[in-house]
Amino acid sequence: MVNDTSFAPWDDPQERPLIRFQNVTKRFGDFVAIDDLTLDIYQREFFALLGPSGCGKTTMMRMLAGFEEPTDGMIELAGEDIAHVPPNKRAVNMMFQSYALFPHLSVWDNVAFGLRRESRDKDAIAERVEQMLKLTRLEKFAGRKPHQISGGQRQRVALARSLAKAPKLLLLDEPLGALDAKLRQATQFELMDIQEKTGTTFVIVTHDQEEAMTVASRVAVMDEGRVMQVATPEQIYEAPNSTYVADFIGDVNLIEGRAKPNGGGAYHINWAEGQAPFEAKSDMVLSEGQRCHLALRPEKVGIQPNKPEEVNAVQGKVLDIAYLGNLSTYHVELSTGQVIKAQTANTNRLSRRDFMWDDPVWVSWSASAGVLLSQ
Amino acid sequence: MGQLERKRGGAPVAMRRLTLITVPYLWLLALFLIPFAIVFKISLSDIALAIPPYTPTMEDGLWALLSQLDFENFVFLTEDDLYWKAYLSSLQIALISTVLTLLVGYPMAYAMARAPEEWRPTLMMLVILPFWTSFLIRVYAWVGILSSEGFLNQFLLWLGIVDTPLKILNTNTAVYVGIVYTYLPFMILPIYAALDRLDGSLIEAAEDLGCSRLEAFWLVTIPLSKNGIIAGCFLVFIPALGEFVIPSLLGGSGTLMIGKVLFEEFFANRDWPVASAVAVILLLILIVPIVLFQRNEQRQAKAEK
Ligand SMILES: Nc1ncnc2c1ncn2[C@@H]1O[C@H](COP(=O)(O)OP(=O)(O)O)[C@@H](O)[C@H]1O
Ligand SMILES: [Mg+2]
C-alpha cells in the first residue's frame, strides 16, 4: 500500500471520507485533551496517529470507538454523525492497548465472542472463526486460554477478535507495544498484509515513528491535542511543515537563520555572523530578514577531507562518531560551535574508516537538500 | 564451593521447613482435632447423673472405657424425626439466606468497585464498621426494629401502608433478615476483591464487540467474579448452617434450626451424649461445603499463577 502511488483518495475531491473529524474538542474537566481537530480519513487507508505519550492519541481512538463523546464538534462515520451511537452499535472494532482478552474464554471463544452477538448461525460463526485463526496463524492454539500463550500470540488473538466482525474501521491502539524489535517488524508486515487482504480501514496509534513510516498510507503527527501535519510518510519525512514535525520524525539538523530572497524560490540563509550564507530552495514565500530554520537530514549531508565543489560547504572537526552498523553518523563541530550531523553508509570495513576524532573535515550539501521552515 | 555451602546450610533449612509445616498442623491438632475427638467420644457415651453428665469417663480405665462406647445416640437421632427435620430446615434456611445475602451483597460490592478511587477506603470501612460492636448487641437491636411496636412497624403505620403491625419478629423472615445483615460483609468482601481486580477494558472490549451493558455484565463481569461469589457464598453458608444466636433471638417457635436443638440438648436436657452426636453429624454435613470451598480457593490460586 505504501508503494502503491495510485492510492491517494485524499487528493481526489470526489472521494467521500470514511471518517470526518470536524472541529472536535475533548476536555476532561479543564484539561484539553483534543484541541479543535479537523481531519479526514478515507476508506482502505492505513492511517497512523503518531505523537509523544499523552498527546491525545488514545482519546481520539476512544471517541471513534464510542467510549468518549466529543465535548465540541462532530465526528462522522460514513456520512453519519456518531456522537450518540453507543459502542456496540458502531461498525467499528478496537484492538486495545492491553489486548483486553477475556481470560475466562479460550482463544476460539474470544474470537467468536463478537460474532455470537450478532448471529445465531453456529456453522457460519465456526467458519468465520476458523478463517480468522488461519489468517493470524493461531489454529494450533484455539483451545488454549489467553494466559497459556505467549505475548505475540495474545496480540494476534486480539487482532483476530477485532477483525472477526469485518468492521468498516479497525482501531489499533499501540498494538505492537509489547513486542520485541524482531517480532514487531514481522508483525508490522503481517498487519499490512492483513489490511490489504481484508480491505478494512485501519487507524493505528503508535509513538514509534519508524512503525508509522513502515505501515501507514498517511501519518498524522500530533502534539498536545493538535494535529501538526497530516501527510504520506514520504512527505512527512522529506517535507515536514514545522520544526516540531521535522524533529519528531527521524534525525535532523536544524540551523536557525534569516532568509534573504534571491528570486525564483532561491534563498540565502544568513546563519552566523561573518560566515558565508547557505543557499536553499523553497516553495514557501519568505520575506526579507524573516526568521527561519533550515532542516537537513544527516544522510543528505556529505563529509569530505577536502573542500568540495558543493554550494554549501563548511569546515569543522569530528566531535563524535556514532557507529550504527550499516551507517555511521559523524557529529561535526563548526567553528561557530554549532554541530552538524552527517551520515555515511558503511560500505567499507571498520578498519578502513575515513575519519577519526578531531580530524578536520568539510561538510556539504546541495541547495535542494534541506527544507526551509518558518515555524 | 556453592554446592558445599548448600550442603552445610542443608540441615537448618530442612529443619526450618519442617517447623513451618508442623506449626499449622499442631495448631489444627490442638484446636480442632483434639476437641473433635473429645466430642466424638462423648457422643458414643451414655447419659448419667454425674459430673460430667456421661459415662464412661477416663476414671473407669481404658478397657472399660472402650468397651462401653457405642453408637446408640446416633441411632436415636434417626428415630426421632425432630433431628433430621432440624437438619433439613437448617440447610434450607442457610441456603435461602445465602442466596438473599448474595442478592443484596453483589450490587453493594459492584457499587464499591465502581466508586471513585478516593471513596473506596471509606466504603470499605463502612462495610467492616459493624464488627466494632458486639454481634449479640447488633442482633438484639433487630428485635427493637422488627417487633410489633418496633421502628419498622411504626414507620409503616405512620406511612399508612399497613393498618395493623406486621408480625415479623419470631418468624423465619426475621431470621433471614438477621443472617443477611450479620453475614453481609463476608459476602461483600470477596466479591469486591474479585471485581476490583477486574480490568475495566474487558467490559469496553465486550461492548466494542457488540454487547449491551447488560450482556457485558452477564458475559464478562459475572464469570470473572465467579470465584468471589463462590467464596462469599461458602463464607455465609457454613456459619449460617449452625447458627444459634440469630434463630434464638429473632426466630419463633416454628423456627427449627440445628444450632438451637444442639443448645437445648446441652443446656436444657443436659444430654451431652446426644448433643455431641448432633454436633458430630453437623460437622460431617459441613465438611462437604468446606472441602468444596478449599478446592475453589486452590483453583483460584493456581489460575492466578
Ligand atoms: N478519563 C480521563 N480523565 C482525565 N484526563 C484524561 C482522561 N483520559 C485521558 N486523559 C488525559 O488526556 C491526555 C491524553 O491522553 P491519551 O489520549 O491517553 O494520550 P496518548 O494515548 O496519546 O498517550 C493525557 O494527558 C491524559 O492524562
Ligand atoms: Mg495511549
Side-chain angles (χ1 to χ4, degrees):
Chain A
M1 180 105 358
V2 173
N3 300 323
D4 183 357
T5 44
S6 63
F7 181 79
W10 47 89
D11 287 335
D12 181 356
Q14 300 292 312
E15 196 77 36
R16 301 260 321 256
L18 178 69
I19 304 162
R20 266 207 127 125
F21 278 86
Q22 281 176 7
N23 306 96
V24 172
T25 297
K26 176 71 193 177
R27 286 188 212 98
F28 294 109
D30 289 339
F31 180 79
V32 182
I34 297 289
D35 189 2
D36 193 25
L37 180 101
T38 298
L39 180 71
D40 288 345
I41 299 173
Y42 293 85
Q43 188 116 38
R44 300 183 71 94
E45 262 205 90
F46 202 134
F47 194 90
L49 295 172
L50 184 58
S53 194
C55 71
K57 305 179 299 286
T58 298
T59 306
M60 254 184 88
M61 293 288 230
R62 291 174 58 79
M63 287 197 289
L64 279 173
F67 300 124
E68 307 280 0
E69 272 190 31
T71 318
D72 274 324
M74 185 162 78
I75 305 175
E76 273 180 24
L77 179 69
E80 181 198 0
D81 182 1
I82 53 170
H84 302 295
V85 182
N88 55 332
K89 297 281 191 300
R90 296 186 182 197
V92 175
N93 283 128
M94 178 148 165
M95 182 177 159
F96 287 72
Q97 200 164 359
S98 59
Y99 305 152
L101 298 179
F102 303 121
H104 59 300
L105 299 179
S106 68
V107 167
W108 207 98
D109 289 325
N110 262 284
V111 177
F113 191 91
L115 299 167
R116 290 199 175 125
R117 305 284 80 74
E118 60 184 13
S119 149
R120 303 206 163 271
D121 182 354
K122 282 219 168 69
D123 294 337
I125 291 174
E127 192 185 333
R128 181 71 181 159
V129 172
E130 300 295 340
Q131 197 184 344
M132 286 299 115
L133 292 178
K134 196 165 166 215
L135 184 71
T136 47
R137 290 182 280 124
L138 284 166
E139 296 109 313
K140 270 190 284 181
F141 307 101
R144 302 246 190 119
K145 291 276 175 69
H147 67 93
Q148 294 167 322
I149 56 179
S150 75
Q153 288 159 352
R154 255 175 252 164
Q155 178 259 326
R156 297 213 296 273
V157 178
L159 183 64
R161 188 180 70 177
S162 51
L163 273 171
K165 292 183 83 175
K168 270 190 208 159
L169 173 64
L170 182 66
L171 306 170
L172 305 128
D173 193 353
E174 306 212 12
L176 315 181
L179 305 185
D180 58 69
K182 216 51 206 230
L183 192 55
R184 210 178 156 109
Q185 214 169 37
T187 317
Q188 283 166 5
F189 287 110
E190 208 173 313
L191 272 183
M192 290 159 68
D193 204 39
I194 289 173
Q195 199 258 355
E196 220 156 335
K197 268 190 209 147
T198 58
T200 310
T201 307
F202 279 31
V203 177
I204 186 172
V205 159
T206 172
H207 60 236
D208 175 352
Q209 44 125 338
E210 221 171 295
E211 186 167 292
M213 305 296 271
T214 310
V215 299
S217 60
R218 279 194 307 159
V219 177
V221 181
M222 296 182 63
D223 183 33
E224 295 186 350
R226 273 164 305 144
V227 168
M228 306 303 286
Q229 186 172 10
V230 185
T232 62
E234 295 90 336
Q235 283 168 335
I236 290 265
Y237 190 78
E238 298 292 347
N241 66 357
S242 60
T243 50
Y244 177 82
V245 174
D247 203 24
F248 194 81
I249 307 283
D251 212 355
V252 75
N253 296 299
L254 288 171
I255 303 167
E256 195 181 342
R258 295 201 177 269
K260 182 168 168 292
N262 257 2
Y267 291 91
H268 275 165
I269 309 298
N270 292 303
W271 60 283
E273 205 66 37
Q275 299 279 338
F278 292 138
E279 283 181 34
K281 290 204 175 82
S282 177
D283 298 334
M284 211 164 43
V285 179
L286 293 166
S287 57
E288 173 88 39
Q290 188 177 344
R291 242 184 46 121
C292 61
H293 281 90
L294 178 66
L296 266 177
R297 297 288 178 197
E299 71 273 14
K300 300 212 166 61
V301 179
I303 178 165
Q304 295 90 4
N306 304 310
K307 186 170 195 308
E309 290 297 297
E310 206 70 89
V311 288
N312 298 308
V314 261
Q315 201 179 16
K317 68 174 202 284
V318 177
L319 189 68
D320 226 336
I321 306 171
Y323 176 68
L324 306 172
N326 51 344
L327 301 168
S328 285
T329 305
Y330 296 92
H331 294 227
V332 177
E333 189 177 23
L334 308 183
S335 60
T336 56
Q338 264 164 313
V339 175
I340 292 205
K341 286 173 267 184
Q343 204 166 57
T344 58
N346 289 327
T347 43
N348 299 329
R349 293 286 306 272
L350 200 58
S351 54
R352 293 196 39 213
R353 199 153 55 182
D354 297 323
F355 309 104
M356 295 306 288
W357 287 269
D358 290 333
D359 279 355
V361 290
W362 285 83
V363 285
S364 62
W365 60 92
S366 70
S368 56
V371 182
L372 277 186
L373 303 167
S374 62
Q375 47 175 313
Chain B
M1 184 69 200
Q3 251 179 357
L4 257 177
E5 255 174 7
R6 211 180 307 149
K7 257 184 205 153
R8 246 192 287 142
V13 167
M15 274 290 278
R16 217 177 307 149
R17 191 172 300 157
L18 198 68
T19 331
L20 272 179
I21 295 171
T22 27
V23 166
Y25 278 102
L26 283 176
W27 192 260
L28 193 68
L29 192 72
L31 293 179
F32 178 76
L33 286 177
I34 293 177
F36 177 73
I38 293 171
V39 170
F40 187 58
K41 190 242 138 199
I42 297 175
S43 75
L44 301 178
S45 312
D46 294 319
I47 185 167
L49 280 172
I51 295 175
Y54 54 85
T55 62
T57 60
M58 280 296 184
E59 285 159 21
D60 302 327
L62 191 63
W63 180 244
L65 185 91
L66 285 179
S67 60
Q68 283 182 41
L69 295 178
D70 54 49
F71 285 91
E72 220 173 42
N73 297 313
F74 290 94
V75 176
F76 173 68
L77 291 189
T78 62
E79 284 163 357
D80 191 336
D81 61 3
L82 166 77
Y83 297 102
W84 66 263
K85 275 186 181 155
Y87 282 120
L88 271 188
S89 159
S90 295
L91 275 173
Q92 190 191 354
I93 290 176
L95 214 63
I96 292 176
S97 17
T98 303
V99 172
L100 291 175
T101 315
L102 176 64
L103 291 180
V104 176
Y106 198 97
M108 289 176 76
Y110 188 78
M112 273 172 71
R114 278 293 145 101
E117 198 91 40
E118 65 268 23
W119 288 20
R120 290 187 204 166
T122 317
L123 293 173
M124 181 77 99
M125 270 288 296
L126 288 176
V127 169
I128 302 173
L129 203 62
F131 287 123
W132 289 14
T133 48
S134 152
F135 162 64
L136 212 58
I137 291 173
R138 283 184 289 128
V139 174
Y140 209 80
W142 278 101
V143 175
I145 297 173
L146 299 177
S147 68
S148 335
E149 304 83 41
F151 295 125
L152 181 66
N153 271 315
Q154 285 185 9
F155 184 62
L156 291 178
L157 286 171
W158 178 73
L159 280 181
I161 295 176
V162 293
D163 319 320
T164 48
L166 296 175
K167 177 157 174 54
I168 304 172
L169 191 66
N170 303 330
T171 65
N172 279 359
T173 313
V175 175
Y176 292 138
V177 169
I179 295 180
V180 170
Y181 163 75
T182 306
Y183 293 107
L184 197 57
F186 295 107
M187 184 64 86
I188 291 179
L189 293 179
I191 295 177
Y192 169 74
L195 288 175
D196 190 42
R197 257 188 315 225
L198 195 136
D199 177 3
S201 66
L202 293 178
I203 309 298
E204 288 188 342
E207 285 183 37
D208 188 66
L209 291 165
C211 284
S212 63
R213 285 271 160 87
L214 197 66
E215 279 177 307
F217 180 75
W218 275 116
L219 293 169
V220 180
T221 311
I222 294 276
L224 288 178
S225 53
K226 193 183 75 193
N227 285 325
I229 296 175
I230 294 175
C233 285
F234 281 127
L235 288 178
V236 173
F237 179 80
I238 293 167
L241 189 64
E243 185 54 57
F244 161 68
V245 173
I246 296 170
S248 1
L249 286 182
L250 304 178
S253 49
T255 308
L256 197 54
M257 280 193 84
I258 202 67
K260 242 170 95 183
V261 173
L262 193 63
F263 181 88
E264 267 152 28
E265 289 296 347
F266 254 112
F267 298 101
N269 297 351
R270 269 183 79 76
D271 192 343
W272 286 25
V274 167
S276 300
V278 169
V280 167
I281 301 282
L282 177 62
L283 191 84
L284 291 180
I285 295 174
L286 276 176
I287 277 177
V288 178
I290 288 174
V291 167
L292 286 178
F293 174 68
Q294 283 298 340
R295 289 239 314 252
N296 177 57
E297 293 285 294
Q298 268 167 11
R299 228 192 12 230
Q300 191 182 343
K302 214 193 261 167
E304 263 157 35
K305 248 189 275 161

